[in-house]
Amino acid sequence: MSTPAVPDEPIDLQIADVLHAVSFPANKDEIVDIARDAGASNELLAILDGLPEQDYADVDAVTRLIGSNYGPGVSV
């Protein structure tokens, strides 16, 4: 799924749009690839690339880690 407006959105909306396009369960590399294909910003790609190498069962599993690593300014 391509989302051309993704790079122009605030980071929390980028995260929500990208994760909505992921078929879970998914591993970190699949999530990063989908974000890259959607045209996500370098900031979002760096955040996702910083996730631990593991399988994620659902959106909540990813957003919990993003929120705990990047604080309350980044939430979905």
Side-chain angles (χ1 to χ4, degrees), residues 2 11 18 24 28 31 34 36 38 45 48 58 62 68 72 74:
S2 179
I11 193 69
V18 166
F24 288 95
K28 179 187 105 167
I31 295 168
I34 288 169
R36 188 173 291 115
L45 292 173
L48 295 174
D58 54 29
V62 178
S68 67
V74 177

Side-chain angles (χ1 to χ4, degrees), residues 5-59:
V6 166
D8 299 325
E9 296 176 338
I11 193 69
D12 56 339
L13 292 179
Q14 287 186 53
I15 293 168
D17 285 346
V18 166
L19 294 181
H20 180 72
V22 175
S23 289
F24 288 95
N27 64 38
K28 179 187 105 167
D29 292 336
E30 292 169 325
I31 295 168
V32 171
D33 287 345
I34 288 169
R36 188 173 291 115
D37 291 346
S41 68
N42 288 336
E43 180 184 9
L44 177 55
L45 292 173
I47 289 170
L48 295 174
D49 198 45
L51 290 170
E53 291 282 348
Q54 66 184 44
D55 290 333
Y56 295 90
D58 54 29
V59 170

